[in-house]
Amino acid sequence: MALNKANITWSCKQITKMAGNGTFSFDNIIQRSYVWEQTRKSNLIHSLIEGYPVPPFYAKKVDGRTYDFLDGKQRINAIRGFIENEYYLIGVPEITYTDAEGNEQTEWLEGKYFKDLPEELQDAIKDYHLTIYYYEDITPEQVRILFAKLNNGKPLSTKERNIANCVDIITVSDIGKHELFQNTMTEKALATRKQLPIIMKVWMMLNEDIDDVSFESKVFNEVMQETKMSDAERDEVVSVLDKIYAIYNALEEYDNAKVAKAVRKKMVSETHMISLVPWIKQAIDEEISDKLMGDFMVELFRNGVIVSDAYSDACKGGSAKNTNVKRRHEEIKKVWDRFFDDVDLTAVDEHEDTDDEEVEKSDIEKYDGIPSDFMNEPEEADM
């Protein structure tokens, strides 16, 4: 079905006002966060002053009055920000213009805020008209394709390209709202939708043989572009995220707060969390309690080298390679087998609801020898 496209023209002054009153939004699932540096913003403002062409904007029209922008977020932010005196110009040349009395004037723009410019230059910016193409009744799949076409050749990051090309972006974005991500990721990470590629990696760990799993770009890009989750697969991914978050919360009750804080941080970092997925699934299948899994996490991450030297090495350069994915899996298995060989799951289950403090404080919680550098260990490279 052909896209239903129309266009409208607004001045920079209008766009600034509309951006502040809710007429514009940038909430669609593929928009990038604000990434333009001050020099690029300044060059755009210089183009407006000099009258150079600015590419059109593209938006989806929502509920008759709101425009959700698919392309142009950086430019709108740059225009609005300058007119509202949020930054000054850098890296731009002086310009020559004609003042209100018809005299030729030269103005040095470097270091100038909007309020510092002559009225004629302020008017040149505010009165500059921009073209917005907008689409009504556009489907999510058409939005994804349009975004990919608009950004063909633009310097998107690897994660941005993966998100733009994800064929199941609606499902993945919905899972991305999970409270695990909302409560453990920074605002910056959420703004860049860092959780979306992680979700697809969880899916891979659940649905591919560990001997085949690779997160290298050439492999992972193909998975993002071709994978559509079934309802059952989606539910399984969510159940794993639920379990991880439940374990994360259970660790709040651990008797050594310093260790618990460090372990919680480790277990939700990307490489560790993805590596743990098969074992989280096994814990779900075997109905292992969140508390006991919290004890396992402490055992897993209690040494300064994180599990073992081999595991630590597999988290550094080349961590996305299949050889390192398998190595981390093998090292976790060693700890898993040793830990659960020493634990009587029946006994643990029997005393979970008791009030006897001596029973609740099992031997597996009483760890000694936590090295002093545990909290200061450098983070591993993301896959």
Side-chain angles (χ1 to χ4, degrees), residues 12-25:
C12 289
K13 180 179 179 180
Q14 288 175 293
I15 280 181
T16 297
K17 181 178 179 181
M18 296 167 77
N21 66 15
T23 304
F24 294 168
S25 70

Side-chain angles (χ1 to χ4, degrees), residues 1 106 114 120 164 168 194 200 260 281 292 305 349 360:
M1 182 178 66
T106 298
F114 179 80
E120 291 84 357
D168 203 12
K194 185 178 179 180
M200 289 307 304
K281 178 62 168 60
L292 184 55
V305 293
D349 289 340
E360 287 184 351

Side-chain angles (χ1 to χ4, degrees), residues 254-256 259 298-299 302-303 363-372:
Y254 189 70
D255 60 356
N256 187 321
V259 171
V298 173
E299 174 69 10
R302 67 174 176 154
N303 293 316
D363 288 339
I364 56 177
E365 288 182 303
K366 300 174 183 176
Y367 296 118
D368 296 314
I370 306 297
S372 60

Side-chain angles (χ1 to χ4, degrees), residues 37-219:
E37 71 283 356
Q38 194 169 343
T39 301
R40 292 188 70 181
K41 294 178 182 179
S42 298
N43 284 332
L44 173 63
I45 300 303
H46 179 261
S47 294
L48 300 179
I49 293 173
E50 292 279 45
Y52 288 113
V54 174
F57 297 71
Y58 295 85
K60 175 178 68 173
K61 192 172 184 180
V62 184
D63 64 32
R65 68 175 295 272
T66 303
Y67 295 82
D68 187 17
F69 276 78
L70 311 176
D71 180 72
K73 180 177 183 178
Q74 312 299 327
R75 286 173 286 161
I76 288 177
N77 180 60
I79 293 168
R80 180 203 57 76
F82 186 68
I83 290 177
E84 294 181 354
N85 295 297
E86 291 181 1
Y87 66 93
Y88 55 83
L89 301 176
I90 60 173
V92 291
E94 63 181 18
I95 67 164
T96 300
Y97 69 99
T98 303
D99 65 20
E101 298 177 356
N103 299 316
E104 189 172 274
Q105 302 287 350
T106 298
E107 182 73 15
W108 182 249
L109 300 179
E110 188 76 14
K112 298 289 181 64
Y113 287 91
F114 179 80
K115 64 184 179 181
D116 300 325
L117 298 179
E119 185 177 347
E120 291 84 357
L121 300 188
Q122 291 185 2
D123 289 342
I125 295 171
K126 291 189 296 183
D127 296 340
Y128 191 105
H129 278 69
L130 301 162
T131 299
I132 294 87
Y133 289 106
Y134 63 89
Y135 301 83
E136 299 186 80
D137 303 319
I138 187 172
T139 68
E141 176 62 12
Q142 288 172 326
V143 168
R144 186 187 69 82
I145 294 173
L146 177 59
F147 181 82
K149 290 181 179 295
L150 289 173
N151 286 279
N152 184 29
K154 289 188 178 181
L156 298 178
S157 69
T158 299
K159 283 187 173 67
E160 288 167 344
R161 284 196 300 272
N162 285 336
I163 294 169
N165 292 326
C166 181
V167 69
D168 203 12
I169 189 64
I170 304 300
T171 298
V172 176
S173 294
D174 184 55
I175 298 173
K177 300 173 185 176
H178 195 283
E179 56 188 347
L180 169 66
F181 302 120
Q182 302 303 314
N183 292 317
T184 63
M185 282 187 164
T186 64
E187 290 185 9
K188 181 178 180 181
L190 291 171
T192 58
R193 294 174 171 81
K194 185 178 179 180
Q195 73 272 35
L196 303 193
I198 292 176
I199 291 166
M200 289 307 304
K201 291 175 183 178
V202 172
W203 179 90
M204 292 174 70
M205 293 294 282
L206 289 170
N207 292 279
E208 295 184 359
D209 190 286
I210 196 67
D211 290 332
D212 300 322
V213 176
S214 170
F215 301 119
E216 293 179 279
S217 295
K218 61 183 179 182
V219 177

Side-chain angles (χ1 to χ4, degrees), residues 261-307:
K261 180 179 178 181
V263 171
R264 278 156 56 94
K265 180 179 179 182
K266 294 294 182 187
M267 66 173 285
V268 297
S269 62
E270 181 173 340
T271 302
H272 299 327
M273 185 169 71
I274 298 303
S275 301
L276 284 166
V277 166
W279 311 104
I280 298 297
K281 178 62 168 60
Q282 187 167 337
I284 294 172
D285 293 342
E286 296 180 5
E287 299 182 347
I288 299 174
S289 71
D290 302 332
K291 177 180 176 297
L292 184 55
M293 282 300 294
D295 293 331
F296 170 70
M297 294 299 171
V298 173
E299 174 69 10
L300 192 65
F301 295 122
R302 67 174 176 154
N303 293 316
V305 293
I306 311 179
V307 184

Side-chain angles (χ1 to χ4, degrees), residues 338-352:
R338 183 176 67 247
F339 180 84
F340 285 103
D341 279 348
D342 294 336
V343 174
D344 184 346
L345 292 178
T346 302
V348 172
D349 289 340
E350 286 176 350
H351 71 61
E352 270 193 344

